[in-house]
Amino acid sequence: MATAAALALYALRLRPRLLTWGATQNETDRTYPGDDIVPDADGTSTMATTFPAPPETVWPWLVQMGGDRGGWYSWDRLDRYGEPSADRIAPEWQHLEEGQRLTATRNGWSWFTVARLEPNRTLVLRSDLSLPSGHSFDPQWDVLPLAHMDGIWAFHLRPTADGGTRLVVRTRGQSRPRRLTRPFDLLLGEPAHFIMQTRQFHNLRTRVGAAA
């Protein structure tokens, strides 16, 4: 009974807050560029934060993300093998284009692909992973694995009336076979994303605030 009560509390009260942390109702309800990449998503989240600087100041930090570039600004021990994410804007990492791959692992077996790019406004990263290996594959050229996870990690910047930036981060994902991946999403995937995303928000605010 205690376990059932705890699961019900998480499903009804805690999980909705994790998936919409910091976002307004309007931000969670609206459609964003890149949503169409995963039209039949099994899971989605919309989280948001505000920066004390215009989008043109925030954008350079986002555009230099990547495991072999500026990092991810989150928990570096977990997603970058302990190597610190960049604390400066690096000119050599400011070029980004659609179709470009951003490595996610040191061996290069996993990566994000830049799927949508509108400077100072939208950056959509796509990930297609074979399970359980976690190796990336190209859905245009590779055979679709029997077990796989596809999704987007999208960053949307909008100016605020006081000269700041509202950053909305939207994720959408689809995985198969669902009977096996659903428990993973609920118990590990979604909580892990919340932990990493809120840390990224914090570290980006610190960097943008210092630069401003």
Side-chain angles (χ1 to χ4, degrees):
M1 291 180 64
T3 301
L7 291 175
L9 175 64
Y10 174 74
L12 298 177
R13 298 295 299 275
L14 298 181
R15 182 171 177 264
R17 295 185 180 184
L18 296 184
L19 298 179
T20 60
W21 188 91
T24 66
Q25 189 67 48
N26 180 62
E27 289 169 338
T28 59
D29 290 344
R30 66 171 298 181
T31 299
Y32 292 94
D35 284 357
D36 59 303
I37 295 175
V38 188
D40 301 317
D42 299 320
T44 182
S45 70
T46 306
M47 302 170 66
T49 191
T50 302
F51 295 97
E56 293 78 11
T57 300
V58 180
W59 178 257
W61 294 98
L62 297 179
V63 82
Q64 68 180 19
M65 290 191 301
D68 57 348
R69 293 157 60 89
W72 307 105
Y73 313 114
S74 188
W75 292 101
D76 294 320
R77 289 186 178 275
L78 298 178
D79 65 8
R80 209 165 184 243
Y81 307 95
E83 182 179 352
S85 294
D87 59 3
R88 64 180 179 86
I89 300 297
E92 64 268 26
W93 294 327
Q94 289 302 299
H95 175 75
L96 199 64
E97 59 186 22
E98 291 187 7
Q100 185 172 339
R101 290 181 178 180
L102 306 178
T103 60
T105 56
R106 184 172 292 173
N107 55 23
W109 287 348
S110 299
W111 64 79
F112 289 96
T113 301
V114 180
R116 298 282 192 279
L117 180 67
E118 185 179 350
N120 302 317
R121 188 170 178 85
T122 295
L123 173 61
V124 181
L125 305 181
R126 175 171 181 162
S127 175
D128 300 276
L129 300 175
S130 175
L131 301 177
S133 68
H135 293 179
S136 293
F137 66 93
D138 189 331
Q140 289 186 324
W141 304 105
D142 297 330
V143 176
L144 185 67
L146 293 178
H148 60 93
M149 181 180 298
D150 314 309
I152 61 164
W153 186 23
F155 300 79
H156 304 284
L157 295 83
R158 301 295 183 266
T160 61
D162 59 358
T165 297
R166 188 68 173 164
L167 172 62
V168 178
V169 174
R170 165 70 57 83
T171 66
R172 290 175 61 83
Q174 183 185 72
S175 57
R176 296 291 184 271
R178 196 57 182 154
R179 66 183 183 280
L180 299 180
T181 59
R182 178 63 172 170
F184 174 86
D185 290 343
L186 292 175
L187 299 177
L188 183 61
E190 291 175 353
H193 173 66
F194 171 81
I195 292 171
M196 301 301 286
Q197 187 61 64
T198 53
R199 181 65 176 180
Q200 185 192 63
F201 282 161
H202 169 78
N203 287 338
L204 279 174
R205 283 197 303 268
T206 299
R207 286 164 167 77
V208 171

